[in-house]
Amino acid sequence: MPKRIGVLTSGGDCPGLNAVLRGVVHAATARDWEVVGFLDGYEGLLSPVQYRVLDKRSTAGIMHLGGTILGTTNKGRFVAKVGHGGKAVLPPEIIAEAKETLDGLGIDALVTIGGDGSLSTSVQLQEAGINTIGVPKTIDNDIDATSMTFGFDSAVTCVVDALDRLHTTAKSHKRVMVLEVMGRYAGWIALHGGLAGGADIILVPEIPFHMEKVFEVIKEREAKGAQNTMVVCAEGARIGEDDYITKHKKAAGEARLGGIGEVVADAIAENTGKDTRAVVLGHLQRGGNPTALDRILGTRFGVHAVDLIAEQKYGHMVSYQNYLVGDVAMEDAVSQLKLVTKDHQIVQACREVDISFGD
């Protein structure tokens, strides 16, 4: 029987979202299903309800575009995360209103595209009787049960491009350059970007570092003739047992990290005498066109989400393992974050090419 399915993009934006939407629409249209796109994430489910019907015409030519044609938000009545990574429980009246909207529009199933916070919301919707399929989206690549999320490759490519540019100016001025990248609690962007971009020091949240060790590495490099040093620092990197550096306090929602790059740069300048600069990539990592890999992965994720609806495999999340797209129980996928470990193969490879983690 023809179905009417909903789709929304929630949380932080990233390259590849439009590729997923296009994949959902094409796969659904092939089955003669109608697709309704809710605007501004889960907020579109609540009064005033906002949505638009999506078809091949409205999604033509969007795969190469960054951002999302539906809009997104990580604020509002569906705040999914609080403090430092804590998960929020939705009020029953919010879930009830969302269910009423979906029932009123005749939506058979809802495809939710988001990170661990947004997918935790999806788990709560599924538990309330709303047929939900999750699609993992995050530049941090920190969702467990999938080896890669779309948006990650584009973010890493942005970091590598920045490092390529910073290398030349650092070498010209014999400077230390500290590049702060995204990654609250997971350092995958810093790890992959630093390795590919030729960093000398990589600081990630999972491996607390010591400033004295960073100073030591820089001085040793200079003694060996290296007059410039490249440091990649995840925004959630921590000095020893210190807490996260929180640049902006928020009354609600998840804490907004930032500022560790400046802290590290100032300490390096003061203790080594090296001319040091800090650069924050920030939302440049979320913007721009998706890489070829993210376009392909996003399309495959969108298509498989529709396949799961056809199989009535609700409460599952699309997953990518060993080059194949499959699925896992959504509740299991968001039960814990996928984090960098000290003995991870990529960490060991970095150490063997003389990259320090400041530990």
Side-chain angles (χ1 to χ4, degrees):
M1 294 291 294
K3 293 181 180 292
R4 196 179 203 208
I5 67 174
V7 62
L8 58 82
T9 55
S10 177
D13 67 303
C14 75
L17 282 166
N18 287 323
V20 180
L21 294 175
R22 178 177 175 273
V24 167
V25 168
H26 276 252
T29 302
R31 292 178 165 84
D32 292 325
W33 296 355
E34 187 177 35
V35 180
V36 173
F38 291 94
L39 307 185
D40 298 332
Y42 293 103
E43 289 297 306
L45 300 173
L46 305 181
S47 179
V49 176
Q50 301 180 77
Y51 66 91
R52 56 184 289 201
V53 175
L54 300 178
D55 55 24
K56 285 187 176 181
R57 175 171 292 185
S58 62
T59 55
I62 68 170
M63 182 168 63
H64 70 286
L65 301 177
T68 164
I69 62 171
L70 293 180
T72 186
T73 183
N74 51 15
K75 301 177 182 178
R77 293 161 286 183
F78 275 93
V79 172
K81 300 176 79 174
V82 293
H84 287 302
K87 305 282 178 67
V89 177
L90 295 176
E93 60 270 19
I94 294 295
I95 296 179
E97 184 177 346
K99 192 173 190 303
E100 183 179 357
T101 296
L102 294 168
D103 289 342
L105 291 172
I107 303 296
D108 296 290
L110 180 66
V111 177
T112 59
I113 309 168
D116 67 298
S118 298
L119 294 179
S120 295
T121 295
S122 298
V123 170
Q124 296 179 59
L125 296 182
Q126 179 67 38
E127 291 172 345
I130 298 172
N131 295 330
T132 308
I133 298 294
V135 175
K137 174 268 336 163
T138 169
I139 64 171
D140 290 330
N141 201 35
D142 60 357
I143 296 181
D144 205 15
T146 183
S147 62
M148 183 174 288
T149 55
F150 69 91
F152 175 65
D153 187 64
S154 297
V156 169
T157 298
C158 179
V159 172
V160 173
D161 178 66
L163 285 171
D164 288 348
R165 294 170 183 270
L166 291 174
H167 269 293
T168 59
T169 185
K171 186 174 182 180
S172 298
H173 290 273
K174 302 178 179 62
R175 284 175 175 156
V176 175
M177 302 298 296
V178 180
L179 181 66
E180 181 181 312
V181 304
M182 285 186 169
R184 291 188 185 96
Y185 315 116
W188 297 110
I189 293 176
L191 180 64
H192 284 247
L195 176 57
D200 306 298
I201 300 172
I202 299 175
L203 307 176
V204 297
E206 300 92 331
I207 305 177
F209 69 95
H210 305 282
M211 287 306 312
E212 293 75 15
K213 180 61 178 178
V214 173
F215 306 151
E216 179 184 318
V217 170
I218 293 172
K219 291 175 181 178
E220 287 179 354
R221 284 178 47 76
E222 190 165 22
K224 294 177 181 177
Q227 297 180 317
N228 64 281
T229 298
M230 307 298 294
V231 182
V232 175
C233 180
E235 63 185 338
R238 291 182 294 164
I239 304 173
E241 300 301 318
D242 292 353
D243 199 0
Y244 300 100
I245 301 295
T246 304
K247 192 172 184 179
H248 303 285
K249 301 293 184 181
K250 295 180 68 177
E254 190 170 34
R256 185 182 300 176
L257 306 186
I260 185 64
E262 285 284 357
V263 171
V264 170
D266 289 346
I268 290 173
E270 182 178 347
N271 288 273
T272 68
K274 292 287 293 181
D275 191 13
T276 309
R277 297 288 188 275
V279 177
V280 180
L281 270 187
H283 285 77
L284 288 172
Q285 296 156 92
R286 291 193 180 279
N289 298 339
T291 60
L293 178 58
D294 281 338
R295 298 179 197 192
I296 295 168
L297 193 59
T299 300
R300 295 177 68 188
F301 276 12
V303 169
H304 195 64
V306 175
D307 291 341
L308 292 177
I309 294 175
E311 297 170 17
Q312 297 187 5
K313 214 170 181 181
Y314 305 123
H316 278 235
M317 181 195 82
V318 177
S319 175
Y320 182 72
Q321 298 285 1
N322 300 319
Y323 300 101
L324 299 176
V325 174
D327 59 274
V328 295
M330 192 153 44
E331 187 173 7
D332 295 338
V334 299
S335 61
Q336 63 181 8
L337 293 178
K338 181 177 65 181
L339 302 175
V340 176
T341 58
K342 282 190 174 183
D343 60 351
H344 193 279
Q345 191 177 67
I346 297 179
V347 172
Q348 297 304 319
C350 286
R351 294 189 191 278
E352 291 189 32
V353 293
D354 297 324
I355 297 176
S356 171
F357 287 85
D359 58 341

